[in-house]
Amino acid sequence: MREDIRDIRQLFLQHTPMMDARAPAEFSKGAFPGVVNLPLMDDGERQKVGTCYKQQGQQAAIELGHQLVSGALKAQRIEAWAAFAKANPEGYLYCFRGGLRSQIVQQWLKSEAGIDYPKVVGGYKAMRGFLLETTQQAVEQCDFVLVGGMTGTGKTEVIAQLSNSLDLEGHANHRGSSFGKRATAQPAQIDFENALAIDILRKRAAGQQQFVLEDEGRIVGKCSLPLELYQGMQAFPLVWLEDSLASRVERILRDYVIDLSAEFIALLGPEEGFKVFAERLQQSLANILKRLGGERFQRLAAIMDQALLEQANDGVVDTHRGWIEALLVEYYDPMYVFQRENKAGRIEFVGEQAAVVAFLRQRGQV
C-alpha cells in the first residue's frame, strides 16, 4: 500500500490526480485544477452533522453521519470512489484537514471495495496554505517585469509568446477591461489564486526565476490579484508595447466582436448565442456610461446598435470599427497616456510587438 503523502510540492509538480471528499459547497468555494469532487456527505448532510457536533459532540455527530450515509447511498458513493481509485492508481484523496472524513473514506474503500487508497496529510487546508506561500515567496525572491501599453496593442499576444510569462487574464478567464467578459464564467477567487500559484510553482521548478506579466489593475473581472503580487506590481519594471491605431482597432474587432460572438454561438447556438453576445456588448458600454458622459454614450451606443444589426442580418462587422475607434481615441487612450506618464521612470523598453518579445526573451536569459 502507498503511504499517505506529505510532500505537497510534488503533488502539484507531477499533476497528481486527486479526489476531494469535501461537500459540494466547500468545493465550489475553492479547489485545485483537475481535482474531482466525490464527497462523503452532500451539503445538507454536512450541515446536519455540523449542527449535531456543536450541540452533542463528536461521537454523536459521527453516529449521525453513519445514519445519513448508509445503505444504497453509501454503496453508491463507495462505488464512485472505487472507480476513481481504479482509474487513478497513482492518485490521493483529501478532505478539509485530512482528518475524519478522509479516514472514513479510506476505511470504507478498504472494507467494502478492498482498495487501499492514500490521503493527503493536512488535506485541503495544508495544500491551500502551501500555494499561498508559493505566490508570496515568488514575489519576494523572483524578478518580475510588466508589459504595459494602450488598449488593443496585443499585450496578451506578447504574454503568449514567452515561456516565463504568467497569464493573469487567462487564469481569470477575463480580458481585463470593461468589455472583458468571456462566454464562459470566471473561476472562483480561490480557484484563480490556486491556479496562478501552481503555474508559478511549476515554472520555478523548471528553472524560471524571472516572470513577465501584463500590467493589470487590482481586479481582473471579478478575480482579485493576490495582494502581495499587486503591491509588487506598483514598483516592478515595465516594458511599453506600441502599435498603430488601425492595428489596435482590428485586434479589438477580432477579439471582442468576431471571436467573442463565435464563443457565444458555439456555446448557446446561433440565435440565442448572438442575442446574449449583443446584450453583453451593450451592457459593457452601459457600464461605463458615467465615465463616458451622456452625449458620448448615446453616440457610441447608436453606432454599436447599428453594427450589431448589420452583423445579425448579414454577418458584416465593418460598422463596429466606428465605436471601437471612438472609444479608444476618446476614452481609453487619454487614461493610458496619464498612466504612462506616471510610470515613466520604470519603463525599460518601448517598441512594437516583435521588438518587445525579443527584448523580454533576452532579458530573461540574463
Side-chain angles (χ1 to χ4, degrees):
M1 174 186 172
R2 290 183 301 127
E3 294 183 356
D4 295 343
I5 189 168
R6 296 178 181 274
D7 190 346
I8 293 170
R9 185 173 186 271
Q10 288 305 312
L11 278 175
F12 292 120
L13 288 181
Q14 296 175 5
H15 303 259
T16 306
M18 289 188 282
M19 178 177 82
D20 188 325
R22 296 177 302 155
E26 295 173 282
F27 184 82
S28 67
K29 289 178 183 176
F32 310 107
V35 168
V36 177
N37 185 215
L38 296 172
L40 171 64
M41 295 180 290
D42 66 21
D43 296 333
E45 293 156 359
R46 174 174 171 264
Q47 186 175 21
K48 290 175 183 176
V49 169
T51 300
C52 181
Y53 179 85
K54 290 177 184 177
Q55 294 176 349
Q56 302 177 45
Q58 185 183 59
Q59 190 56 43
I62 293 171
E63 291 172 3
L64 176 59
H66 281 280
Q67 291 172 20
L68 293 172
V69 185
S70 60
L73 183 60
K74 177 180 176 181
Q76 181 184 10
R77 291 184 186 170
I78 292 171
E79 184 180 356
W81 302 334
F84 180 90
K86 290 172 183 175
N88 301 281
E90 74 282 19
Y92 293 87
L93 65 89
Y94 67 85
C95 61
F96 184 68
R97 291 187 180 86
L100 193 56
R101 283 184 285 180
S102 291
Q103 292 168 22
I104 290 172
V105 173
Q106 285 182 311
Q107 290 165 6
W108 287 1
L109 269 173
K110 176 64 175 175
S111 62
E112 305 292 334
I115 296 173
D116 285 314
Y117 207 64
K119 73 175 188 291
V120 179
V121 176
Y124 169 84
K125 187 175 182 181
M127 291 187 284
R128 170 72 173 151
F130 171 82
L131 292 179
L132 289 172
E133 191 174 305
T134 294
T135 301
Q136 185 175 354
Q137 286 180 348
V139 174
E140 292 171 353
Q141 299 170 4
C142 297
D143 179 33
F144 286 81
V145 59
L146 305 178
V147 178
M150 299 286 198
T151 300
T153 50
K155 297 183 286 289
T156 301
E157 294 169 18
V158 169
I159 295 296
Q161 294 177 64
L162 300 168
S163 61
N164 63 331
S165 63
L166 299 172
D167 186 358
L168 299 175
E169 293 183 1
H171 286 306
N173 195 36
H174 194 283
R175 289 194 173 98
S177 71
S178 302
F179 290 78
K181 282 187 178 179
R182 310 298 295 255
T184 50
Q186 288 193 255
Q189 175 65 28
I190 291 173
D191 289 353
F192 166 70
E193 293 171 1
N194 288 346
L196 176 60
I198 292 169
D199 190 9
I200 292 170
L201 178 73
R202 289 173 179 164
K203 285 185 167 76
R204 290 197 73 181
Q208 296 289 357
Q209 294 300 322
Q210 181 184 107
F211 293 104
V212 180
L213 53 154
E214 188 171 335
D215 189 16
E216 300 280 1
R218 177 77 169 97
I219 299 174
V220 183
K222 68 173 187 179
C223 293
S224 298
L225 300 185
L227 181 58
E228 63 273 12
L229 179 61
Y230 178 69
Q231 289 174 335
M233 289 167 69
Q234 308 318 300
F236 294 157
L238 191 70
V239 299
W240 194 264
L241 180 62
E242 296 190 329
D243 204 354
S244 68
L245 177 61
S247 293
R248 292 162 56 211
V249 169
E250 291 308 306
R251 185 174 286 109
I252 290 173
L253 177 68
R254 181 195 68 210
D255 290 347
Y256 290 80
V257 176
I258 299 170
D259 290 352
L260 187 59
S261 62
E263 281 183 30
F264 277 102
I265 288 168
L267 190 68
L268 302 172
E271 187 173 334
E272 182 65 17
F274 187 83
K275 177 176 177 289
V276 175
F277 155 73
E279 290 171 351
R280 179 72 61 83
L281 203 61
Q282 291 164 330
Q283 184 59 51
S284 296
L285 188 65
N287 288 343
I288 56 173
L289 187 159
K290 288 183 179 179
R291 285 175 281 171
L292 286 173
E295 182 279 327
R296 183 161 50 187
F297 170 77
Q298 294 295 338
R299 174 165 48 88
L300 298 185
I303 300 171
M304 179 183 285
D305 291 346
Q306 180 62 31
L308 287 167
L309 184 63
E310 293 175 9
Q311 186 182 0
N313 291 339
D314 306 315
V316 176
V317 297
D318 294 346
T319 304
H320 281 289
R321 292 186 180 89
W323 67 264
I324 292 172
E325 181 170 339
L327 200 60
L328 288 179
V329 173
E330 299 177 30
Y331 177 69
Y332 281 108
D333 286 5
M335 289 194 300
Y336 278 86
V337 167
F338 178 75
Q339 287 181 20
R340 178 172 174 170
E341 290 173 354
N342 283 348
K343 299 172 182 179
R346 292 193 279 136
I347 296 176
E348 292 186 346
F349 184 83
V350 177
E352 296 195 347
Q353 187 172 130
V356 165
V357 170
F359 172 80
L360 289 169
R361 284 178 174 158
Q362 184 179 27
R363 190 184 191 281
Q365 294 171 359
V366 175

